[in-house]
Amino acid sequence: MSNSIESTLVETRVFPPPEGFVKQANISGRAAYQALLTQADDDPDAFWGQMAREHLHWTRPFTQVLDESNAPFYRWFGDGELNVSANCLEANIERGLGDKEALIFEADNGDVTRVTYQALYEKVCQIANGFKQMGYQAGDRVIIYLPMSVEAVAVMQACARLGLIHSVVFGGFSSKALQERIIDVGATLVVTADEQVRGGKNLPLKSAVDEAIAMGGCEAVKHVVVYKRTGGNVIWHEKRDIWLQDLMKDQATSCAPVAVNAEHPLFILYTSGSTGKPKGVQHSSGGYLLWAKLTMQWTFDAKPDDVFWCTADVGWVTGHTYITYGPLAAGMTQIVFEGVPTYPNAGRFWQMIERHKVTVFYTAPTAIRSLIKAAETNAQFHPKSFDLTSLRLLGSVGEPINPEAWMWYHINVGGERCPVVDTWWQTETGGHMLTPLPGVTPLKPGSCTTRLPGIAAAIVDETGADVAAGNGGFLVIKRPWPSMIRNIWGDPERFKKSYFPEELRGYYLAGDGAQCDADDCFWIMGRIDDVLNVSGHRLGTMEVESALVSHELVAEAAVVGRPDATTGEAVVAFVVLKGATPEGEQATLIAKQLRDWVAKEIGPIAKPKEIRFGDNLPKTRSGKIMRRLLRVVAKGEAVTQDVSTLENPAILDQLTKAV
Ligand code: WT7
């Protein structure tokens, strides 16, 4: 376990929730929180049943809340039926919000498009009717490889309307990664765009789909629907490809939602694990949507006149839950942003908050840290140069937020009046698990604080026994919850082994090390497996290793994380070539070749920040690579551990010098 960002600041102050905030909060004051917590702990079935009846529209009411008969394959609201898209669109139109803005889209170049709930409904229906006409039916899998856009949200919603199972692939992933996901999920339809626009540049997307399909194994794909974003050049496959705009043109603007079982998979989203192959995390319809909506109300204190902005991409779970589903289920107005935080300059986020009068802002520590640097070197990009008084609540997600970044965010962006909710959760959890409630929880910079009502989070040892307050251990969730992962697509054995190891008494194992203090506040210490967190993105070391060894020059590779002041962790690769170990300019050249190779195999986010070449890797006599030592070397620290069990201790010297 490693704490990725080493803090120089130890902030021990506690920030109580501002009185003004408490007064108006959806959950206001400790007693209200405690009551929900107790209610959920004492009778989970009654609690979740009541929440699901109150917050969702069911076309067929459920009679059973939780079915544990086939644990850990839990079923929630298992005989109920609903439609997720109708819960996000019709439900709001019927309560008079048709003319309310659902999405305010700001393009990379600053152009703004406003879409009301009624207009979004019509767009979603036209797309759904198009898909239906092409013959797609509930249960079919759709790969979505789209840039941040109104269309991305609408296509996901259109899938939900028909019961099609979407699997969004982040636009930064390579054609190889795309091909693997198309095959694993068995997609018959792919939706993409001609190009994406980021930071003033047009980047191809459609050509990556063409490449992925040409690699083979994707024969099941019948159509590629292409959203024309830029009008850039594309190669067209007459029988297979169709423009999204053409598909929608003559379609009716209403489309009956298909009622699905609460357990019907809403989506599959791939995430990295500790082995080479990414896992297809399968989520449900009913339980997932319930938690997406509830956490909007609890964590983000959703109010009718809020302008919500989550800066994530819909390629990640944050964009699923807190862009496509949660804010719409809660009837909010939200910003959808196409671009990057540093274009045209590092003031972009603050300028957009001012322009759109954003009230609730949700971003990642890595973005904050990179903007701190820019703001502290150029006052023009400092949040203080903008009017950010519309803000009332700030959120953080994806990695531990170091106290320096927390304090800067709190003071300079939040003007010391906005609570900061540091939300801990995962692709697998579907929504927030540990987080402050802004009208309840005293904030401790660096801690994601307390568990949400209904979430039985705890710290245990390797036998599943509780550890005392203040001691480190495994973060587990002892009872199932509605938005939990249902399966790993096509691999139920891996699902059981990864998340419900027998020795942990059937608890959900999150994969994070953590501790819980005497105030029931959780402190995340880092992953316990070979998973890195680079800029809030999960990356398996084995995944990067597999990519490296698939290069013709490489004999062996070991990948570790190193703390990085901006990205949290950085990828460092130790590589043994088949030929002689390169030095000087040759080493630089091959390192560049290998970095580009990894970008091609996985995507630019997986590129090693540093590659060190050696004649060998430090191994035990039984041949196990000593990653623990490599982590020390990667940090640039001296190895003080006992290395007498190593087969080849001299290799450490070589790797230490090989910078
Ligand atoms: C891993 C999950 C949550 C959606 C985005 C990432 C780390 C996430 C926090 C936080 C400390 C955090 C954990 C977790 N993580 N949020 N607030 N404090 N660590 O989802 O890609 O599935 O990654 O991100 O290590 O296990 P993900």
Side-chain angles (χ1 to χ4, degrees):
M1 288 178 215
S2 65
N3 196 340
S4 41
I5 295 287
E6 271 152 311
S7 280
T8 47
L9 176 78
V10 183
E11 178 58 66
T12 52
R13 267 186 297 170
V14 176
F15 298 79
E19 225 171 274
F21 199 101
V22 177
K23 269 201 204 117
Q24 58 80 62
N26 291 342
I27 301 184
S28 174
R30 180 145 297 268
Y33 164 69
Q34 197 59 51
L36 281 169
L37 205 65
T38 310
Q39 192 195 343
D41 287 347
D42 289 356
D43 192 347
D45 263 33
F47 173 78
W48 290 119
Q50 183 196 331
M51 292 295 153
R53 275 184 289 269
E54 259 173 39
H55 291 275
L56 298 182
H57 295 259
W58 297 88
T59 35
R60 185 190 148 151
F62 55 89
T63 61
Q64 188 181 19
V65 174
L66 172 63
D67 176 359
E68 305 186 77
S69 58
N70 192 25
F73 299 94
Y74 297 101
R75 292 176 59 86
W76 283 92
F77 321 116
D79 59 351
E81 287 181 5
L82 81 172
N83 180 275
V84 168
S85 170
N87 268 277
C88 295
L89 301 172
E90 285 95 317
N92 290 310
I93 294 168
E94 279 158 20
R95 61 188 181 110
L97 300 183
D99 293 332
K100 178 173 179 170
E101 281 167 358
L103 309 178
I104 300 174
F105 173 71
E106 183 164 320
D108 189 65
N109 70 359
D111 287 355
V112 170
T113 312
R114 295 167 186 279
V115 186
T116 63
Y117 273 90
Q118 180 65 32
L120 182 60
Y121 166 78
E122 291 178 8
K123 196 171 191 111
V124 168
C125 287
Q126 286 185 305
I127 298 171
N129 283 328
F131 289 167
K132 205 155 71 174
Q133 195 177 55
M134 293 164 89
Y136 294 100
Q137 291 176 3
D140 291 346
R141 273 86 62 207
V142 181
I143 286 276
I144 298 177
Y145 189 60
L146 282 170
M148 284 300 288
S149 50
V150 171
E151 283 67 22
V153 174
V155 168
M156 291 166 81
Q157 284 279 344
C159 288
R161 179 157 288 264
L162 299 179
L164 308 179
I165 305 167
H166 61 67
S167 185
V168 183
V169 177
F170 174 58
F173 277 123
S174 69
S175 52
K176 182 80 194 307
L178 185 60
Q179 179 226 19
E180 285 166 6
R181 287 156 175 77
I182 292 173
I183 295 173
D184 192 79
V185 88
T188 48
L189 172 62
V190 177
V191 185
T192 189
D194 49 0
E195 296 181 312
Q196 58 180 330
V197 187
R198 285 167 74 81
K201 285 200 254 336
N202 293 5
L203 308 161
L205 278 179
K206 164 73 162 65
S207 62
V209 174
D210 294 340
E211 273 171 43
I213 295 177
M215 284 175 197
C218 304
E219 289 70 30
V221 174
K222 290 191 297 236
H223 298 102
V224 176
V225 172
V226 188
Y227 161 52
K228 189 181 274 186
R229 169 63 186 89
T230 62
N233 273 341
V234 289
I235 295 169
W236 206 248
H237 299 250
E238 271 316 322
K239 289 214 179 71
R240 191 195 70 192
D241 299 349
I242 176 167
W243 291 109
L244 178 68
Q245 284 90 336
D246 289 345
L247 179 72
M248 291 170 65
K249 212 166 35 206
D250 298 317
Q251 302 295 346
T253 52
S254 68
C255 169
V258 174
V260 297
N261 184 278
E263 281 297 314
H264 182 74
L266 176 63
F267 65 86
I268 295 157
L269 185 59
Y270 285 84
T271 190
S272 297
S274 38
T275 64
K277 204 170 148 251
K279 316 186 254 201
V281 173
Q282 179 185 323
H283 275 288
S284 69
S285 296
Y288 170 81
L289 187 67
L290 173 63
W291 199 233
K293 187 175 178 189
L294 268 183
T295 49
M296 285 307 302
Q297 265 144 26
W298 291 353
T299 313
F300 293 130
D301 196 48
K303 293 281 158 52
D305 44 9
D306 269 325
V307 178
F308 179 73
W309 184 16
C310 164
T311 68
D313 190 287
V314 291
W316 311 106
V317 74
T318 309
H320 282 61
T321 308
Y322 299 110
I323 294 177
T324 301
Y325 294 112
L328 295 180
M332 295 183 97
T333 296
Q334 70 172 317
I335 309 295
V336 172
F337 178 43
E338 179 178 44
V340 297
T342 48
Y343 178 82
N345 59 56
R348 182 69 181 263
F349 273 6
W350 324 132
Q351 185 228 329
M352 282 181 62
I353 292 171
E354 175 181 293
R355 181 181 192 188
H356 300 293
K357 302 200 165 39
V358 171
T359 59
V360 181
F361 181 63
Y362 192 36
T363 196
T366 188
I368 299 168
R369 287 192 298 266
S370 70
L371 297 179
I372 293 177
K373 268 200 218 158
E376 300 303 330
T377 43
N378 188 339
Q380 223 185 315
F381 308 141
H382 199 283
K384 288 199 164 145
S385 305
F386 299 84
D387 177 4
L388 304 184
T389 49
S390 59
L391 287 172
R392 66 184 193 94
L393 178 55
L394 300 175
S396 169
V397 61
E399 48 180 318
I401 177 164
N402 48 308
E404 287 97 323
W406 195 101
M407 288 302 297
W408 189 88
Y409 195 34
H410 180 64
I411 295 169
N412 296 294
V413 183
E416 294 185 69
R417 71 182 181 281
C418 304
V420 176
V421 290
D422 173 5
T423 59
W424 178 89
W425 59 297
Q426 310 176 290
T427 306
E428 292 88 342
T429 69
H432 304 151
M433 298 280 105
L434 302 171
T435 174
L437 286 171
V440 176
T441 319
L443 306 171
K444 299 183 184 183
S447 167
C448 54
T449 74
T450 52
R451 61 197 184 95
L452 282 172
I455 304 304
I459 308 293
V460 301
D461 66 18
E462 61 285 352
T463 69
D466 288 326
V467 306
N471 290 325
F474 302 127
L475 174 56
V476 297
I477 299 169
K478 291 185 170 179
R479 271 199 317 270
W481 67 101
S483 68
M484 69 194 297
I485 175 176
R486 293 303 195 269
N487 207 341
I488 293 177
W489 184 255
D491 203 346
E493 274 315 304
R494 190 175 176 195
F495 167 75
K496 281 200 273 192
K497 262 184 34 204
S498 311
Y499 302 114
F500 299 94
E502 260 164 48
E503 57 283 12
L504 292 187
R505 312 177 187 193
Y507 302 158
Y508 168 83
L509 176 67
D512 279 344
Q515 56 183 50
C516 184
D517 67 22
D519 301 326
D520 295 326
C521 285
F522 288 82
W523 300 78
I524 306 295
M525 290 146 69
R527 298 286 306 191
I528 54 170
D529 51 12
D530 295 319
V531 172
L532 306 182
N533 191 324
V534 180
S535 299
H537 300 317
R538 225 160 115 172
L539 208 57
T541 53
M542 298 260 289
E543 228 175 302
V544 186
E545 286 166 10
S546 311
L548 284 168
V549 296
S550 72
H551 190 279
E552 56 180 9
L553 293 178
V554 177
E556 219 180 348
V559 166
V560 298
R562 174 179 73 199
D564 184 278
T566 306
T567 58
E569 276 185 298
V571 177
V572 179
F574 295 87
V575 171
V576 182
L577 296 185
K578 286 175 186 159
T581 302
E583 282 173 22
E585 209 163 301
Q586 207 206 352
T588 315
L589 223 76
I590 298 179
K592 179 173 182 317
Q593 236 176 310
L594 294 181
R595 295 178 52 186
D596 291 345
W597 176 261
V598 172
K600 200 170 112 334
E601 288 289 295
I602 305 174
I605 48 171
K607 271 187 177 183
K609 181 152 187 185
E610 188 181 312
I611 295 184
R612 296 192 189 199
F613 296 100
D615 301 334
N616 209 331
L617 296 171
K619 288 183 189 156
T620 60
R621 295 209 171 90
S622 59
K624 203 171 155 282
I625 297 175
M626 295 288 281
R627 279 164 219 282
R628 192 165 48 81
L629 296 178
L630 288 176
R631 277 195 282 270
V632 176
V633 174
K635 272 202 228 176
E637 289 172 3
V639 176
T640 52
Q641 286 94 334
D642 175 19
V643 294
S644 59
T645 56
L646 279 191
E647 164 85 43
N648 50 350
I651 193 63
L652 287 174
D653 261 356
Q654 188 192 22
L655 292 173
T656 306
K657 287 179 193 136
V659 189

